[in-house]
Amino acid sequence: MLKIAVIGVLLLLAFLATKYLDERRQKKLLIALGVLVGCAVAYLMAIELMR
């Protein structure tokens, strides 16, 4: 559960940091963060299924 909280806080900070970028960089960063969130969810689900 702590892993999920840490990942969530870091992603929230990254989303807040996007306010200060121009639109093109915002899009790239948000796409990268979306992929990162998807990978984190898949990773956590895989770990839980292995138990």
Side-chain angles (χ1 to χ4, degrees):
M1 202 55 146
L2 182 61
K3 293 176 194 175
I4 296 171
V6 170
I7 291 171
V9 169
L10 290 174
L11 289 173
L12 179 64
L13 289 173
F15 281 120
L16 292 175
T18 59
K19 287 183 182 180
Y20 303 106
L21 299 173
D22 63 351
E23 286 186 29
R24 191 176 76 224
R25 287 187 180 171
Q26 274 183 351
K27 276 187 174 182
K28 287 181 182 178
L29 184 60
L30 289 176
I31 289 170
L33 288 174
V35 169
L36 183 65
V37 168
C39 290
V41 168
Y43 174 72
L44 291 172
M45 287 176 59
I47 287 176
E48 290 300 317
L49 288 174
M50 291 289 192
R51 287 185 183 189

